[in-house]
Amino acid sequence: MTATEIRKAFLDFFTSKGHLVVPSAPIVVKNDPTLMFTNAGMNQFKDIFLGEAAPKSSRVTDTQRCLRVSGKHNDLEEVGIDTYHHTMFEMLGNWSFGDYFKKEAITWSWELLTEVYKLPKDRLYVTYFEGDTKEGLETDTETYELWKQYVDEAHILPGNKKDNFWEMGETGPCGPCSEIHYDGRPDNERAQVNGATLVNADHDQVIEIWNNVFMQFNRLKDSSLQPLPNKHVDTGMGFERLVRVMQGKTSNYDTDVFQPMIQFIAAKSGKSYNSVAKPGDTDWNDAVAMRVLSDHIRAISFAIADGQLPASNKAGYVIRRILRRAVRYSYQTLGFKEPFFNQLVPLLAEQFKGVFDELYAQKDFVQKVILEEEVAFLRTLSKGIEIFNNITAIYNGGTTILDGGNFVNHEAGKNVIKGKDAFELSDTYGFPIDLTELMAREKGWSVDIDGFNAALQEQKTRSRAATAIDTGDWIMIKDEDEAVEFTGYDETETIAHIIKYRKVSAKGKEQYQIVLDKTPFYAESGGQVGDKGELIFPNGDIIYVTDTKKENGLIVHFTDKLPSTPEDALTAIVDPQKRNSTEGNHTATHLLHAAMKQVLGSHVNQKGSLVNSDYLRFDFSHFAKVTDEELAQIETIVNQKVRENIPLKEERMVAYQEAITSGVTALFGEKYGEYVRVITFDDNFSKELCGGTHVKATGQIGYFKIVAESAVAAGVRRIEAITGVAAENYINEQTKLVQGVKELLKNPKDINKSIEALLEENNRLKKEIEKAVLEKSSGLKDELAKKATEINGVNFIAERVELPNADAVKNVSYQLKDIVPNLFLVLATENDGKPGLTVMIAENLVKEKGLNAGTIVRELAKEIQGGGGGQPFYATAGGKDATGLERALEKAKSFLS
Ligand code: ATP
Ligand code: MG
């Protein structure tokens, strides 16, 4: 079976068991502070497990794109070295939300593997949770008994908490699990060593393919386990591992999922791929590099397609580091000195067409972003190599090749690169430690690894302290199973109750987070900021809401204190002014988006937006600067739509497919439910999927004004604009500015004309001055030449002159050199009270007499309390004390005696 057939068979199988096929969630996680990237199929269902949202169907199945490069599940260091851990991989899964449990899950997984995929039973091993006394968890005998119906008892193995109790992160849903492993070793090896001893023992031919998790608990902050409201099934099977097993390969990279990519890399690098190379073999490094490239391009491309651009902090930095890891292999091991990694994007996009179409739709954009990163990193790589050479040169007493000021900080011991230098190379120049070690080895040097680790640890501790957030457990006030109701589309004031709250401390500041059963507060999302406002209690307590955010299915209100009577009914009131101007900016963003598609083309896609009460910011994919004419055109269209006063059409429950067919604008990297909200301003103009709040009619926007256009990243531009009162104020200020200029110019009829005339006059005057100076200096030159006195065969001139600027002095000096042979010239000037000295020495004197203008001018400058320098034949100095000029001229002679 091909990979495509294998994926389809999985989804078909679970469809036949009553499951609904749902789309993969984006790989970049929004609305969950405990997670950066999707690391398992269950992430997108977390709120269902926690009872915070209702499922679409009690049985679903999908293939989810996952990324395991940070947090609890991080496989990055394994990737490329082993044959079965990837950064990005597909996880096939089936779920039961409070529906079937262990019996069906186990029966069906066995049926699928042995009857549909026809995997040999004697190569399969299954595990069950052995229990954990510390946690008070019992042995999962139920699972054992269920497996016994199908599997030989010698193939049913107990597993400890590490392998058989699955947890998503430090907190969150979890439960015992049962894994299925596959023994892919040849028969003779299998006869010698019992496969059961190799399960969960990091053997690269005895690998886990599927994990069935029985979700029953929620792990709390204090690490205790709280039973979930319902019991669920959550399974995950690594697609690439399944394909490898099905295709009888010994490495995931030998399947049709990776081979096209590997062969492309091999061909372009002129090397061949040896799948079975071992560490130490000559082609081992090449094999690792090819695996790394073919793997990492998937992680990077999907992260970018789902909205996470490489950046210098947080999730963006994780992506940048993976990208650099790949580029380093491509440059150093495979020998690509020019950007190459980005060229893998079209191939990948083609491969995932029909599976994850997000990538194909944005392939040019994704490739461009990667190319730009690659170019920048290749530059730092070579810069890093230069610095590396400097560091080693210091010890060798070598010459000082400056590296931009950092040089002085480097230190080297005897053939050892100090830890903090290795750390600086890695931290500032993205120069991986293993590369530093390798290059050191090539020079016969070593790296102080302990010192490096200490520096790394120090930085980690520092950044952890800066970002540490201590989140307490929820304290329940009111039992509530229902999802939280958002009333803010219809009203800004709602009577509500607190369901629960918790305390959060960050950077020494304490805050509270409150969840209400109903709320008019809009939680930050889709670029629109969270509402601010008040919670008013019957006893007079007023609690200010400083921000509102989403967390999974919850709407969380941020406050600085708690009410004294949290059980009481309260009135939640949104700050109306802030909300109104935010709505104006949000609707304007939709109009802007539509106008841009008209003016710039349909390739314009939203890449991020911010809408608050002050302004709006819109990032979009576009490869060129937006010209002034285009900006004017866009502005005109938007303002026309504002004047048309188009009423808002809001449809809250449109089936997703229906909405897409009707031509709405959906965004990449957003997770949409089965039913979506469609916001329309004129059926033929702007139709977007949007959860935000909007004006009732476009006229409320008043006026729209673009104030800035700039670049934010490769292929991404940004427009900033304002509306309503802010736009009016802006125009008033601009008008005032023009008025001020007019007054300065004495109210001419045509400002442009009179400024042009001023500039012209200024130019003319400048030229006249230049001419006058030139005339003066040529007269001066002749006068000075006459004053030359001969001392020991040198024509010596030391004079005080009056010239308007340094250029003029230089001019005169050079002219004199041409007409006076064997010249030693010293000129003293004073401009605006500042003394200056110039020394010019004929080149033959420099050579023959060893005279040096630079040294001399520095010596003379002491008389005027100053300093300077230059070349051996021409140098200048400035100073503070003009009374010293005469002394300096007098002193000059001493250099000739
Ligand atoms: P392993 O012990 O092999 O790292 P795991 O215990 O981390 O696996 P789970 O968290 O249970 O795996 O994930 C479910 C399935 O996803 C695994 O059975 C495996 O098939 C697949 N899987 C996990 N991590 C990776 C990865 N980094 N690359 C590819 N597939 C993976
Ligand atoms: Mg793992």
Side-chain angles (χ1 to χ4, degrees):
M1 281 170 105
T2 64
T4 308
E5 289 162 354
I6 293 169
R7 184 191 291 112
K8 182 168 183 301
F10 182 93
L11 298 174
D12 286 352
F13 177 81
F14 282 103
T15 305
S16 80
K17 306 287 184 200
H19 290 64
L20 174 75
V21 181
V22 299
S24 169
I27 214 164
V28 181
V29 173
K30 288 183 184 159
N31 302 330
D32 189 342
T34 69
L35 205 61
M36 272 187 197
F37 302 106
T38 299
N39 65 15
M42 57 73 66
N43 296 164
Q44 66 163 316
F45 307 119
K46 182 177 164 186
D47 48 0
I48 301 177
F49 293 133
L50 293 175
E52 289 164 4
K56 270 192 235 179
S57 155
S58 62
R59 299 179 181 191
V60 303
T61 181
D62 72 8
T63 177
Q64 170 67 50
R65 46 186 186 274
C66 296
L67 197 56
R68 291 196 169 181
V69 292
S70 60
K72 188 172 171 68
H73 295 276
N74 185 348
D75 296 330
L76 185 61
E77 294 308 318
E78 258 62 68
V79 175
I81 311 291
D82 80 10
T83 59
Y84 61 108
H85 280 97
H86 303 295
T87 53
M88 180 265 180
F89 63 98
E90 285 180 64
M91 197 186 278
L92 298 166
N94 57 289
W95 286 271
S96 151
F97 303 122
D99 186 344
Y100 63 84
F101 204 46
K102 296 179 184 174
K103 178 165 158 275
E104 292 83 349
I106 287 172
T107 307
W108 290 338
S109 54
W110 194 253
E111 183 184 333
L112 176 63
L113 291 180
T114 59
E115 286 170 34
V116 178
Y117 290 138
K118 303 205 172 3
L119 289 176
K121 293 180 186 165
D122 66 330
R123 286 179 178 269
L124 292 168
Y125 291 86
V126 300
T127 67
Y128 64 97
F129 181 47
E130 65 188 9
D132 189 281
T133 40
K134 253 212 230 115
E135 299 256 13
L137 295 168
E138 287 172 9
T139 308
D140 188 0
T141 44
E142 189 186 352
T143 294
Y144 180 84
E145 292 300 328
L146 287 164
W147 277 125
K148 225 169 68 179
Q149 300 174 57
Y150 312 107
V151 184
D152 184 304
E153 275 178 81
H155 283 225
I156 310 176
L157 312 168
N160 60 18
K161 201 180 111 189
K162 178 181 148 283
D163 290 318
N164 279 82
F165 193 85
W166 199 89
E167 309 202 31
M168 177 186 112
E170 296 314 322
T171 59
C174 53
C177 60
S178 173
E179 307 153 316
I180 304 173
H181 295 253
Y182 186 82
D183 184 350
R185 293 173 302 152
D187 288 337
N188 60 334
E189 281 184 35
R190 286 204 299 143
Q192 278 163 13
V193 180
N194 178 1
T197 63
L198 301 176
V199 166
N200 275 330
D202 290 334
H203 190 290
D204 77 343
Q205 295 308 319
V206 185
I207 59 171
E208 177 187 328
I209 54 171
W210 201 350
N211 197 355
N212 279 252
V213 184
F214 309 117
M215 288 290 180
Q216 301 176 43
F217 303 104
N218 182 22
R219 172 80 67 188
L220 297 181
K221 171 87 190 11
D222 65 1
S223 86
S224 63
L225 292 170
Q226 178 189 51
L228 290 175
N230 282 303
K231 288 181 179 172
H232 316 276
V233 170
D234 154 36
T235 90
M237 173 145 62
F239 172 64
E240 300 75 11
R241 294 189 191 179
L242 173 67
V243 173
R244 154 204 182 149
V245 163
M246 289 290 294
Q247 296 182 350
K249 307 290 187 193
T250 55
S251 160
N252 291 12
Y253 296 93
D254 290 346
T255 65
D256 58 348
V257 178
F258 285 97
Q259 269 303 301
M261 194 67 83
I262 297 243
Q263 291 312 329
F264 179 79
I265 298 166
K268 291 281 175 183
S269 63
K271 298 176 178 240
S272 55
Y273 176 66
N274 178 5
S275 161
V276 294
K278 294 269 166 299
D281 289 354
T282 49
D283 45 10
W284 165 251
N285 285 341
D286 288 346
V288 171
M290 289 184 204
R291 289 195 284 264
V292 165
L293 261 63
S294 68
D295 171 277
H296 288 14
I297 192 65
R298 297 156 45 104
I300 307 293
S301 298
F302 279 104
I304 296 173
D306 280 343
Q308 184 56 65
L309 295 175
S312 57
N313 57 18
K314 297 188 190 155
Y317 189 56
V318 176
I319 296 306
R320 174 167 287 167
R321 268 187 17 234
I322 302 172
L323 194 146
R324 289 180 167 185
R325 192 173 187 264
V327 174
R328 201 260 299 179
Y329 275 106
S330 141
Y331 176 87
Q332 196 202 341
T333 311
L334 297 177
F336 291 107
K337 299 299 175 207
E338 297 297 319
F340 167 73
F341 189 51
N342 69 89
Q343 294 170 30
L344 305 180
V345 173
L347 202 63
L348 187 72
E350 196 66 43
Q351 182 186 342
F352 276 101
K353 226 164 137 183
V355 186
F356 303 137
D357 284 317
E358 293 78 356
L359 182 56
Y360 192 81
Q362 302 176 86
K363 63 181 189 327
D364 295 342
F365 168 71
V366 171
Q367 182 169 4
K368 168 120 182 160
V369 171
I370 297 178
L371 170 67
E372 206 103 335
E373 279 283 315
E374 228 183 323
V375 169
F377 183 55
L378 285 173
R379 229 182 287 133
T380 36
L381 254 186
S382 54
K383 177 87 193 156
I385 291 172
E386 192 184 304
I387 292 172
F388 176 91
N389 289 333
N390 278 340
I391 296 173
T392 50
I394 302 174
Y395 174 72
N396 291 340
T399 49
T400 49
I401 321 155
L402 287 175
D403 67 16
N406 283 325
F407 180 68
V408 287
N409 297 324
H410 295 316
E411 246 183 72
K414 189 172 166 48
N415 293 346
V416 174
I417 293 181
K418 288 276 167 69
K420 71 175 172 48
D421 286 341
F423 179 71
E424 191 201 318
L425 277 170
S426 111
D427 194 47
T428 315
Y429 296 93
F431 221 63
I433 182 67
D434 43 347
L435 180 58
T436 306
E437 283 187 290
L438 186 86
M439 288 177 38
R441 223 176 300 131
E442 283 168 4
K443 274 192 184 267
W445 281 50
S446 66
V447 179
D448 165 20
I449 283 295
D450 290 343
F452 171 83
N453 286 333
L456 184 68
Q457 202 47 48
E458 199 181 298
Q459 191 213 37
K460 272 193 187 156
T461 315
R462 234 181 296 128
S463 69
R464 207 174 300 134
T467 57
I469 298 176
D470 187 18
T471 309
D473 286 326
W474 290 112
I475 295 171
M476 302 300 295
I477 297 295
K478 186 174 162 221
D479 249 339
E480 190 76 44
D481 266 352
E482 299 282 292
V484 172
E485 187 190 345
F486 175 60
T487 58
Y489 291 141
D490 304 308
E491 57 189 33
T492 51
E493 208 175 306
T494 299
I495 311 268
H497 280 91
I498 295 183
I499 300 183
K500 56 184 177 180
Y501 68 84
R502 68 182 173 193
K503 190 157 108 182
V504 177
S505 336
K507 293 184 192 161
K509 209 179 120 201
E510 283 189 353
Q511 265 198 323
Y512 294 91
Q513 298 184 343
I514 296 179
V515 177
L516 305 176
D517 55 355
K518 285 191 235 166
T519 181
F521 282 77
Y522 182 79
E524 176 183 325
S525 69
Q528 181 176 337
V529 294
D531 277 330
K532 296 182 191 329
E534 297 171 353
L535 308 180
I536 300 175
F537 286 80
N539 68 355
D541 272 2
I542 297 181
I543 306 291
Y544 293 98
V545 175
T546 53
D547 200 357
T548 312
K549 288 189 179 179
K550 259 190 205 167
E551 186 171 323
N552 302 305
L554 299 177
I555 297 173
V556 182
H557 306 76
F558 288 64
T559 69
D560 291 333
K561 57 178 192 177
L562 285 176
S564 43
T565 54
E567 309 78 14
D568 285 359
L570 58 95
T571 313
I573 305 177
V574 170
D575 180 332
Q577 237 145 26
K578 282 215 158 59
R579 168 72 89 81
N580 282 344
S581 32
T582 306
E583 289 182 342
N585 284 335
H586 199 156
T587 304
T589 307
H590 283 210
L591 302 182
L592 170 68
H593 194 180
M596 283 206 304
K597 281 194 192 269
Q598 275 189 11
V599 175
L600 303 177
S602 60
H603 64 279
V604 167
N605 273 311
Q606 180 170 337
K607 284 289 154 210
S609 88
L610 173 72
V611 176
N612 62 29
S613 55
D614 299 330
Y615 79 120
L616 66 96
R617 196 176 80 193
F618 189 76
D619 296 348
F620 53 101
S621 48
H622 185 56
F623 292 151
K625 184 175 166 49
V626 186
T627 64
D628 289 347
E629 294 76 54
E630 287 166 336
L631 288 175
Q633 255 176 304
I634 292 168
E635 224 172 59
T636 304
I637 296 176
V638 174
N639 279 317
Q640 188 187 325
K641 295 292 166 187
V642 169
R643 282 189 298 274
E644 281 173 24
N645 198 26
I646 307 161
L648 160 72
K649 185 164 106 192
E650 180 206 11
E651 295 158 287
R652 288 194 196 163
M653 290 288 282
V654 183
Y656 177 75
Q657 265 318 321
E658 193 183 305
I660 294 296
T661 322
S662 83
V664 294
T665 305
L667 305 182
F668 295 114
E670 275 311 319
K671 172 182 145 196
Y672 294 108
E674 193 179 359
Y675 290 99
V676 290
R677 182 164 173 264
V678 179
I679 294 295
T680 308
F681 287 98
D682 181 347
D683 274 309
N684 298 315
F685 186 66
S686 162
K687 240 179 147 136
E688 289 198 31
L689 295 187
C690 176
T693 63
H694 288 272
V695 297
K696 299 280 169 280
T698 57
Q700 272 170 265
I701 294 170
Y703 180 59
F704 170 84
K705 183 79 201 150
I706 295 176
V707 290
E709 193 274 349
S710 58
V712 277
V716 183
R717 314 259 344 155
R718 167 173 294 175
I719 280 183
E720 287 163 72
I722 48 182
T723 67
V725 178
E728 186 183 329
N729 290 343
Y730 176 82
I731 295 296
N732 285 343
E733 264 164 39
Q734 296 291 313
T735 314
K736 239 201 226 146
L737 206 70
V738 175
Q739 200 52 45
V741 173
K742 244 184 177 166
E743 273 163 29
L744 278 177
L745 296 172
K746 309 249 167 342
N747 293 313
K749 271 204 201 90
D750 184 336
I751 321 183
N752 278 330
K753 244 196 197 143
S754 74
I755 291 181
E756 265 164 28
L758 267 182
L759 290 175
E760 237 164 62
E761 188 180 359
N762 190 34
N763 250 338
R764 190 173 49 77
L765 291 175
K766 243 195 216 154
K767 278 194 190 126
E768 268 173 28
I769 291 175
E770 270 165 27
K771 211 169 122 207
V773 168
L774 210 69
E775 276 163 12
K776 187 170 176 194
S777 54
S778 97
L780 190 64
K781 166 194 74 182
D782 297 335
E783 251 171 64
L784 286 170
K786 282 183 206 141
K787 291 192 176 157
T789 50
E790 207 220 274
I791 307 174
N792 296 336
V794 173
N795 285 318
F796 178 71
I797 304 172
E799 287 294 326
R800 193 176 174 124
V801 292
E802 261 175 57
L803 283 167
N805 54 42
D807 269 353
V809 182
K810 191 169 179 179
N811 238 327
V812 172
S813 310
Y814 273 79
Q815 286 181 22
L816 268 174
K817 185 175 70 159
D818 288 344
I819 57 169
V820 181
N822 298 329
L823 176 67
F824 184 146
L825 170 74
V826 182
L827 295 179
T829 54
E830 186 183 342
N831 277 323
D832 299 331
K834 287 205 187 92
L837 289 166
T838 299
V839 177
M840 176 121 221
I841 300 173
E843 265 137 35
N844 59 312
L845 294 182
V846 171
K847 280 194 203 122
E848 291 157 18
K849 305 218 172 219
L851 290 170
N852 184 323
T855 324
I856 294 173
V857 91
R858 264 194 295 277
E859 195 54 43
L860 298 181
K862 286 179 185 161
E863 301 299 331
I864 55 169
Q865 291 184 32
Q871 290 144 301
F873 65 92
Y874 182 78
T876 58
K880 283 186 222 134
D881 181 13
T883 64
L885 283 173
E886 292 307 328
R887 286 195 302 277
L889 289 175
E890 204 46 48
K891 194 175 182 180
K893 245 186 231 150
S894 66
F895 289 95
L896 290 176
S897 48

